[in-house]
Amino acid sequence: MTATDLAVGPGALELRWADGTTSHYPYIWLRDNCPSGLHPDTMERLLDLMSIDPEPKPRAARLEEGAAVVEWAGEGHVSRFPLDWLQGHRPGRPVEDPADIAPELWRGGLGAEGIPRHRADDILAGDGALLAWMTDTARLGLSIVEGVAATPEATVALAERIGFLRRTNFGTTFEVVNRPDPNNLAYTAEHLPLHTDLPNQEVPPGYQFLHCIANEAEGGGSIFADGFAIAEDLRVEDPDAFALLSSVPIPFRFHDAETDIRVRRPVVTLDDGGRLAEIRYNAHIAAAFDMPADIMAGYYRAYRAYMERTRRQDYVVSLKLNAGEMVVFDNRRILHGRERFDPNTGYRHLHGCYVDRGEFASRLRVLARA
Amino acid sequence: MTATDLAVGPGALELRWADGTTSHYPYIWLRDNCPSGLHPDTMERLLDLMSIDPEPKPRAARLEEGAAVVEWAGEGHVSRFPLDWLQGHRPGRPVEDPADIAPELWRGGLGAEGIPRHRADDILAGDGALLAWMTDTARLGLSIVEGVAATPEATVALAERIGFLRRTNFGTTFEVVNRPDPNNLAYTAEHLPLHTDLPNQEVPPGYQFLHCIANEAEGGGSIFADGFAIAEDLRVEDPDAFALLSSVPIPFRFHDAETDIRVRRPVVTLDDGGRLAEIRYNAHIAAAFDMPADIMAGYYRAYRAYMERTRRQDYVVSLKLNAGEMVVFDNRRILHGRERFDPNTGYRHLHGCYVDRGEFASRLRVLARA
């Protein structure tokens, strides 16, 4: 969009755009962001803010072909701001972010058949398929990749198309098999109710990749629910419960011989705008609640209201993963679990890893450049 | 401490302790935390909260040797709670955490000679020395390790005494040397003003390890300041500036050919209790501010107030690292920087890595078990 008019206001440059809107650009902000102040190699800001007049004033300003040009009083410096850049950086509006994909909430009606499916070969071969897969995964929080070679390396190769792996106290990758001496319920054959992984970490792992290498035992189906959908329904149906869950921190803790990892955080984390940012829900590693006794009963009621919804079939999608399939989900939104299985009837082996939200978003932005 | 009396109150068990204080333990909380509900191997909670009465009542309760015993009405279950555990888990008081080491703020008067020094050999050889070093580092946010072998492996061996390394887009370890084609100011010979690393990450790296392998060039001294001390002084001396810096998010961004990593966060992050939790301060990767135009001038004034203090000698400690020394600091509290150096006068090479706060705190807790 082009600018039709420019005015030197008392504290800000005023630009009128072709659509009739006007934007105000405070002078100190313009001077601080003069393109001449960036390092030519690193594009980082080199200009020292303390070296310039804290209240810079233009001597003159004008529109030129595709740019607004400001001549600064005193120092005589001239700044040239591309109009495209000014339009993308209107104060009060965060810069557009290609990684901002609005979550599309789902409930049990999605069905296993509603989970988006993508092909491993395509994702490995082309950035278009990678972007399509990532976009679906970000939108629904959940996707399935088909045709994955039955090796641990194949899990990692797909995850690394997005970014490097998040290491945790369970390693950089992990094997979900029943073990004789488990330090975690996942490593048993027990029913594993819906939960998010590692809410006891300052930042729980972002996207989780669970690649099914073998699933021959009886039982062992996978279950999923959209933790955001449950929270949004609670916000409407039981606002008191939602208020407690999104404000009162509870302690989460995992400890074994080598580690003792704890945080205190609410079950529901909202962003500055009140939108859902994160769910931490894991009955197994929630430690003893530590809120004051007088709000304890109310908190339990709220917590049970969330938990009760995780058991309702109208929120849950079930499927039995086949060898060669990999399920991918946003571990800070989607609850996952597993039905009990009988280890005497066959082998069950999932290979897993995580890529954090930061790496995921970075890849989306880089792919959007193309 | 022993309990002297127990009463079955209307909604909570009331325990009177030997020091005369009384604690209230709501019944639902007691039933939920019955020790019989833990997995014998993993110590995770197996009891399903939905399977029990949401308003459990005791039929009877009594004090026994070192325990409070509750017989539940209806189901007839008996719970036995060790008094030590009840005392450590009084509702309204978060459990004591050996990793909670209060920051001791410092200013320029600390001097280079005031930075705690520890020996690499001792840290590698014994847990006592490891704990002493970590405690100093947590308290002041800054320490020096001496006698480190001049190899990249030695950096990692010391850091891994604490926990595994935090990987970032710059790798799992990084070399601070001037490069012909830098993607970051650190990789030039320029003056590098005080900053924290990677505030553009959702969670910036926790503890940073900078091991000096060679420092023969003229210049290239290291500078540090306690970002918490500057913030606390600002809270007193310029509360309006502090309020803006601790509430208004600003965008941070690093991007190169492979990555585009962004967040919007305030410069000062406070915890729920209003205590300082984190400083994000890096003029080079702060992107163009995006707050509304009408608060922009005020924000710049606040931001400059913080920046101006980072230039005052009364906040800064300077030293020139020698080969074989490693400086370690809390990157989410301590600002670090470097004086310009002349690459023609000699070789300068630092080898660096990070260990996150979560791993650091976990190690402190495990060491405290001994």
Side-chain angles (χ1 to χ4, degrees), chain A residues 269-293:
Chain A
T269 298
L270 304 177
D271 69 14
D272 289 344
R275 288 174 299 265
L276 293 170
E278 174 173 75
I279 302 292
R280 293 180 191 247
Y281 176 77
N282 189 319
H284 302 298
I285 63 174
F289 297 161
D290 60 6
M291 65 280 296

Side-chain angles (χ1 to χ4, degrees), chain A residues 105-366:
Chain A
L105 305 191
W106 55 265
R107 294 169 184 77
L110 178 74
E113 67 287 357
I115 304 173
R117 286 174 173 263
H118 293 260
R119 295 283 313 166
D121 290 350
D122 297 342
I123 293 166
L124 292 170
D127 280 354
L130 174 62
L131 179 59
W133 169 49
M134 290 179 68
T135 303
D136 272 350
T137 308
R139 198 165 47 85
L140 289 173
L142 178 65
S143 69
I144 291 172
V145 179
E146 300 174 329
V148 186
T151 65
E153 292 74 23
T155 326
V156 173
L158 279 159
E160 287 185 341
R161 281 288 279 153
I162 298 171
F164 60 80
L165 304 186
R166 159 77 178 268
R167 182 168 170 179
T168 76
N169 56 302
F170 294 103
T172 304
T173 64
F174 49 90
E175 309 291 336
V176 184
V177 285
N178 49 312
R179 295 183 186 173
D181 191 20
N183 66 347
N184 184 299
L185 269 185
Y187 303 152
T188 68
E190 308 283 348
H191 168 61
L192 203 54
L194 288 169
H195 66 283
T196 63
D197 275 7
L198 308 195
N200 62 313
Q201 300 265 0
E202 181 175 4
V203 170
Y207 286 85
Q208 179 164 175
F209 303 76
L210 274 178
H211 170 199
C212 180
I213 291 181
N215 203 1
E216 293 144 13
E218 273 174 32
S222 297
I223 53 176
F224 299 95
D226 185 346
F228 279 11
I230 294 175
E232 287 296 0
D233 288 352
L234 208 60
R235 170 146 45 186
V236 173
E237 296 162 11
D238 193 343
D240 292 346
F242 182 84
L244 285 168
L245 292 175
S246 58
S247 64
V248 177
I250 63 172
F252 294 95
R253 181 182 185 191
F254 173 87
H255 55 122
D256 63 7
E258 294 302 320
T259 62
D260 184 345
I261 304 173
R262 318 176 188 176
V263 292
R264 295 175 73 249
R265 290 286 189 285
V267 169
V268 176
T269 298
L270 304 177
D271 69 14
D272 289 344
R275 288 174 299 265
L276 293 170
E278 174 173 75
I279 302 292
R280 293 180 191 247
Y281 176 77
N282 189 319
H284 302 298
I285 63 174
F289 297 161
D290 60 6
M291 65 280 296
D294 58 352
I295 64 165
M296 189 78 81
Y299 189 85
Y300 264 100
R301 200 193 58 73
Y303 190 72
R304 286 175 62 110
Y306 194 94
M307 185 179 275
E308 187 269 322
R309 280 167 176 77
T310 69
R311 310 290 172 89
R312 288 191 201 166
Q313 281 314 305
D314 41 334
Y315 284 111
V316 176
V317 163
S318 313
L319 73 156
K320 185 154 177 175
L321 284 174
N322 297 307
E325 289 178 340
M326 181 172 79
V327 67
V328 184
F329 54 93
D330 179 351
N331 177 59
R332 296 166 70 183
R333 166 182 170 190
I334 301 296
L335 313 178
H336 69 289
R338 171 191 72 208
E339 294 158 0
R340 197 178 194 302
F341 64 96
D342 180 349
N344 299 315
T345 56
Y347 186 56
R348 185 179 190 276
H349 177 192
L350 304 186
H351 183 247
C353 62
Y354 307 109
V355 172
D356 271 337
R357 278 187 178 173
E359 278 62 58
F360 193 98
S362 173
R363 178 65 53 221
L364 279 176
R365 294 178 191 121
V366 171

Side-chain angles (χ1 to χ4, degrees), chain B residues 254-317:
Chain B
F254 173 87
H255 56 122
D256 62 8
E258 294 301 319
T259 62
D260 184 345
I261 303 173
R262 318 176 188 177
V263 292
R264 297 176 70 249
R265 290 287 188 286
V267 169
V268 176
T269 298
L270 304 177
D271 69 14
D272 289 343
R275 290 175 298 265
L276 293 170
E278 174 174 78
I279 302 292
R280 293 180 191 248
Y281 176 77
N282 189 320
H284 302 298
I285 63 174
F289 296 161
D290 60 5
M291 66 279 299
D294 58 352
I295 64 165
M296 189 78 83
Y299 189 85
Y300 264 100
R301 200 193 59 74
Y303 189 73
R304 286 175 62 112
Y306 194 95
M307 184 178 274
E308 187 269 321
R309 281 167 176 76
T310 69
R311 311 290 172 90
R312 289 191 200 167
Q313 280 315 304
D314 41 336
Y315 283 111
V316 176
V317 163

Side-chain angles (χ1 to χ4, degrees), chain B residues 62-212:
Chain B
R62 62 183 181 277
L63 284 175
E64 276 184 6
E65 183 65 31
V69 177
V70 180
E71 290 178 36
W72 298 102
E75 60 170 343
H77 184 77
V78 176
S79 298
R80 187 186 168 83
F81 302 96
L83 289 178
D84 285 352
W85 186 87
L86 286 171
Q87 207 186 4
H89 291 80
R90 282 170 282 183
R93 302 196 191 194
V95 168
E96 271 191 37
D97 184 352
D100 245 346
I101 295 173
E104 203 171 283
L105 305 189
W106 55 265
R107 295 168 183 79
L110 178 73
E113 66 287 357
I115 304 173
R117 288 176 172 259
H118 292 260
R119 295 282 314 165
D121 289 349
D122 297 342
I123 292 167
L124 292 170
D127 281 354
L130 173 62
L131 179 59
W133 169 49
M134 290 179 68
T135 302
D136 272 351
T137 308
R139 198 165 47 85
L140 290 173
L142 176 65
S143 68
I144 291 173
V145 180
E146 300 175 327
V148 186
T151 65
E153 292 74 21
T155 326
V156 173
L158 279 160
E160 286 185 342
R161 281 288 279 154
I162 299 171
F164 60 80
L165 305 186
R166 159 78 178 268
R167 182 168 171 178
T168 76
N169 55 302
F170 293 103
T172 304
T173 64
F174 49 90
E175 310 290 337
V176 185
V177 284
N178 49 314
R179 296 183 184 172
D181 190 21
N183 66 346
N184 183 300
L185 269 185
Y187 302 151
T188 68
E190 306 284 349
H191 169 63
L192 202 55
L194 287 170
H195 65 283
T196 64
D197 274 8
L198 308 195
N200 61 313
Q201 300 265 359
E202 181 176 3
V203 170
Y207 286 85
Q208 180 164 173
F209 303 76
L210 274 179
H211 172 200
C212 180

Side-chain angles (χ1 to χ4, degrees), chain A residues 36-65:
Chain A
S36 67
L38 303 178
H39 190 282
D41 293 321
T42 70
M43 294 301 284
E44 294 176 324
R45 181 179 286 112
L46 273 186
L47 176 73
D48 179 9
L49 181 62
M50 299 308 284
S51 72
I52 59 174
D53 181 352
E55 296 185 1
K57 298 281 180 211
R59 173 189 301 150
R62 62 183 182 277
L63 283 175
E64 276 185 5
E65 184 66 31

